[in-house]
Amino acid sequence: KQEVTQIPAALSVPEGENLVLNCSFTDSAIYNLQWFRQDPGKGLTSLLLIQSSQREQTSGRLNASLDKSSGRSTLYIAASQPGDSATYLCAVRLIYNQGGKLIFGQGTELSVKP
Amino acid sequence: EPEVTQTPSHQVTQMGQEVILRCVPISNHLYFYWYRQILGQKVEFLVSFYNNEISEKSEIFDDQFSVERPDGSNFTLKIRSTKLEDSAMYFCASSGGGTGALGEQYFGPGTRLTVT
């Protein structure tokens, strides 16, 4: 059974710092991995989708990397801002789940202090 | 920018009552999903839907649950007889384009269901 784990559970950093969020998964037979942002009481905003054949994907200050063989992905946030404060979720889609099922981690709650 | 919408934002119901949660997916998407998040827990997959039938469902999605695409724009989740443990945030999502069910999923803002 696929398990997705995110470390740390919570992170507090001063504004301007670069930071890395970690996601690990037990089954490497993934089709792709998606990173989301969730603000308190709100929906999920898709940040990046990285295919299993890709090593990394970038959008603005965000960079996601994927190492399928070791079952890890990282989300790098450059020059963090208070507006980046949210919970960040990673989710994987296995190759067996042709119906598109995403399996989520529990998230990393990020707080960026001014 | 196109987005997934959901109504209502909050639904309170009594145990044993039927509820229908509504979603309007992104207009050119063909793959639709429901997920739920119990307070403090992970987001969990419930069901995926394509071409008017269920593509995949989880063990949570038992006979009390059903999904429907009643017209060209809406996608609904029905819970026939709600239980206290159905209290959660329910998210609708959709995906489309060339990669279909394997493409990027876009989520709605959620419906918070409270069963009393």
Side-chain angles (χ1 to χ4, degrees), chain B residues 6 11 14 19 30 32 36 44 46 48-49 53 55 61-62 70 75 77-78 80 82 86 89 92 98 107-108 116:
Chain B
Q6 291 185 244
Q11 172 97 42
Q14 289 190 328
V19 295
L30 299 176
F32 315 117
R36 78 173 185 190
E44 302 174 287
L46 293 177
S48 60
F49 190 86
E53 56 184 38
S55 306
F61 194 87
D62 61 21
F75 179 51
L77 174 69
K78 183 194 291 187
R80 263 182 267 285
T82 50
D86 293 327
M89 183 76 99
C92 173
F107 280 66
T116 62

Side-chain angles (χ1 to χ4, degrees), chain A residues 36-45 86-89, chain B residues 37 43 91:
Chain A
F36 294 89
R37 169 190 172 129
Q38 184 176 29
D39 291 283
K42 299 290 174 71
L44 281 65
T45 300
T87 297
Y88 290 80
L89 304 173
Chain B
Q37 186 176 33
V43 176
F91 295 109

Side-chain angles (χ1 to χ4, degrees), chain A residues 3-4 31-32 34 36 38 41-44 46 48-49 51 89 93 97-102 104-106, chain B residues 33 35 37 42-45 48 55-56 58-59 89 91 99 101-110 112:
Chain A
E3 294 288 339
V4 180
Y31 188 81
N32 55 36
Q34 200 167 346
F36 294 89
Q38 184 176 29
K42 299 290 174 71
L44 281 65
S46 179
L48 289 163
L49 174 72
Q51 303 293 347
L89 304 173
R93 183 182 289 105
N97 295 123
Q98 293 299 304
K101 171 184 175 180
L102 287 174
F104 282 82
Q106 76 276 26
Chain B
Y33 314 87
Y35 292 82
Q37 186 176 33
K42 293 183 179 184
V43 176
E44 302 174 287
F45 170 81
S48 60
S55 306
E56 189 172 7
S58 72
E59 56 274 10
M89 183 76 99
F91 295 109
T99 49
L102 301 176
E104 191 168 1
Q105 292 184 20
Y106 296 87
F107 280 66
R112 179 164 298 285

Side-chain angles (χ1 to χ4, degrees), chain B residues 4-16:
Chain B
V4 177
T5 60
Q6 291 185 244
T7 55
S9 56
H10 191 191
Q11 172 97 42
V12 181
T13 190
Q14 289 190 328
M15 197 166 50

Side-chain angles (χ1 to χ4, degrees), chain A residues 25-99:
Chain A
F25 45 92
T26 52
D27 188 340
S28 62
I30 68 166
Y31 188 81
N32 55 36
L33 183 148
Q34 200 167 346
W35 279 94
F36 294 89
R37 169 190 172 129
Q38 184 176 29
D39 291 283
K42 299 290 174 71
L44 281 65
T45 300
S46 179
L47 299 173
L48 289 163
L49 174 72
I50 183 163
Q51 303 293 347
S52 62
S53 58
Q54 296 177 308
R55 297 287 294 182
E56 61 180 60
Q57 192 70 261
T58 298
S59 176
R61 293 183 294 110
L62 305 179
N63 176 277
S65 68
L66 176 64
D67 184 344
K68 200 172 71 161
S69 60
S70 68
R72 292 181 187 175
S73 176
T74 61
L75 180 67
Y76 175 83
I77 303 177
S80 58
Q81 303 169 357
D84 294 331
S85 297
T87 297
Y88 290 80
L89 304 173
C90 70
V92 301
R93 183 182 289 105
L94 298 177
I95 58 174
Y96 327 116
N97 295 123
Q98 293 299 304

